[in-house]
């Protein structure tokens, strides 16, 4: 239901210097091969769907590619130790991981004003941030929620400023800006909506909607649905790739992994 709300068809392509791949062939394929340089990409989905895990995977991929990464963490959930484990799983030694993680810059941000100051510092000190190719904001929704819930239009104004600055920094520094947005309950029985509101929908260049499969435990009594490891990413908006395509992936204790191809079910016999 939610994917229909965000579905946008955008035409046109632009030249890009590179695309950052996360080694999930089908997920990377949704964006034409990976995260595009110079663009703002949004990951949107409910809590615990795997947004931060995908951010971690792309951060590790960027480090392995020799790039620098800047993480603006608003929820204190971005684990550098987990990023190290991802690098170790790629066959890197402890000493190699130490060298790679030297290119990871981590900053906790607790307000939209702090995020704007960080973005302006990146833009004004481009030489100090040479080689920066991935900027992660996790979660933009957590920063904006208190302001958007307050009366008046200050929150919407700050959100607009952040969106404009993210896109300009991405374009000027030739990096990918990757932000996370939540899905929240709009009203009882009204379905889910993006936490950043309708005014944000047009801002990102690309939007991936994340969802998860649920299953009900067998038994005589009704059990609440449980989330399985399989996730689905659907391209809901893009300026360069066909919208509406989707890809499955897994979220496990080891991080994000390629999902096995689903086997076709045979038709039941009469």
């Amino acid at each position: 239901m939610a994917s229909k709300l965000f579905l946008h068809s955008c035409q046109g392509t632009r030249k890009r210097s590179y695309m950052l791949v996360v080694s999930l062939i089908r997920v990377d394929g949704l964006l034409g091969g990976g995260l595009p340089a110079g663009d703002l990409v949004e990951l949107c989905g409910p809590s615990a769907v795997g947004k931060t895990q995908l951010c971690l995977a792309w951060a590790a991929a960027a480090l392995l590619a020799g790039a620098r990464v800047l993480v603006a963490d608003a929820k204190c959930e971005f684990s550098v130790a987990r990023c190290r484990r991802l690098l170790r799983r790629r066959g890197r030694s402890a000493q190699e991981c130490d060298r790679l993680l030297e290119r990871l810059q981590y900053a906790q941000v607790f307000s939209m004003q702090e995020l704007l100051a960080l973005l302006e510092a990146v833009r004004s000190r481009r030489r100090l941030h040479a080689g920066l190719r991935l900027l992660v904001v996790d979660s933009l929704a957590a920063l904006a929620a208190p302001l958007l819930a307050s009366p008046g239009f200050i929150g919407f104004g700050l959100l607009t400023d952040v969106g404009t600055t993210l896109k300009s920094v991405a374009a000027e520094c030739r990096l990918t800006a990757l932000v996370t947005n939540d899905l929240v309950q709009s009203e009882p029985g009204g379905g889910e909506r993006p936490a950043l509101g309708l005014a944000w929908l047009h801002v990102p260049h690309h939007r991936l909607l994340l969802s998860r499969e649920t299953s009900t435990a067998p038994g005589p009594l009704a059990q609440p649905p449980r989330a399985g490891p399989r996730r689905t990413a659907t391209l809901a908006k893009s300026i360069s790739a066909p919208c509406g395509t989707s890809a499955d992936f897994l979220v496990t204790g080891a991080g994000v992994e390629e999902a096995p191809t689903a086997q076709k079910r045979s038709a039941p016999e009469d």
Side-chain angles (χ1 to χ4, degrees), residues 133-158:
R133 292 295 175 263
L134 180 62
L135 168 62
V136 178
V137 181
D138 185 29
S139 141
L140 184 57
L143 292 177
L147 294 172
L148 296 179
S150 61
F153 298 95
I154 296 179
F156 293 99
L158 279 173

Side-chain angles (χ1 to χ4, degrees), residues 16-202:
R16 296 179 173 85
S17 57
Y18 72 98
M19 302 193 82
L20 181 62
V21 299
V22 73
S23 298
L24 295 176
I25 297 175
R26 290 190 286 272
V27 174
D28 285 327
L30 296 178
L31 294 168
L35 291 181
D39 286 356
L40 171 59
V41 180
E42 176 193 318
L43 301 179
C44 184
S47 176
V49 75
K51 299 185 295 293
T52 299
Q53 299 307 317
L54 271 178
C55 290
L56 278 165
W58 265 309
L63 295 175
L64 288 169
R68 298 179 69 88
V69 177
L70 172 59
V71 176
D73 188 1
K75 300 192 300 180
C76 300
E77 292 181 358
F78 194 96
S79 171
V80 177
R82 189 169 179 83
C83 191
R84 174 186 290 274
R85 289 196 294 271
L86 293 178
L87 295 173
R88 291 301 302 270
R89 284 180 58 85
R90 298 287 187 91
R92 299 306 190 269
S93 66
Q95 293 77 13
E96 288 176 313
C97 289
D98 290 337
R99 290 195 295 270
L100 291 171
L101 289 172
E102 289 178 357
R103 297 198 293 269
L104 174 65
Q105 299 170 266
Y106 176 85
Q108 289 187 353
V109 290
F110 300 102
S111 69
M112 298 285 273
Q113 292 86 346
E114 287 185 9
L115 177 58
L116 277 171
L118 179 64
L119 295 175
E120 290 295 346
V122 171
R123 180 160 56 184
S124 62
R125 303 172 184 175
R126 292 174 59 179
R127 291 185 179 180
L128 295 179
H129 296 278
L132 181 62
R133 292 295 175 263
L134 180 62
L135 168 62
V136 178
V137 181
D138 185 29
S139 141
L140 184 57
L143 292 177
L147 294 172
L148 296 179
S150 61
F153 298 95
I154 296 179
F156 293 99
L158 279 173
L159 184 59
T160 299
D161 289 344
V162 167
T164 301
T165 306
L166 279 167
K167 293 170 78 171
S168 63
V169 168
E172 294 171 16
C173 300
R174 300 304 299 160
L175 57 82
T176 301
L178 181 63
V179 303
T180 62
N181 186 8
D182 297 331
L183 283 181
V184 295
Q185 197 72 25
S186 57
E187 58 185 27
E192 294 178 317
R193 61 173 179 83
L196 293 178
L198 296 175
W200 173 262
L201 286 182
H202 73 283

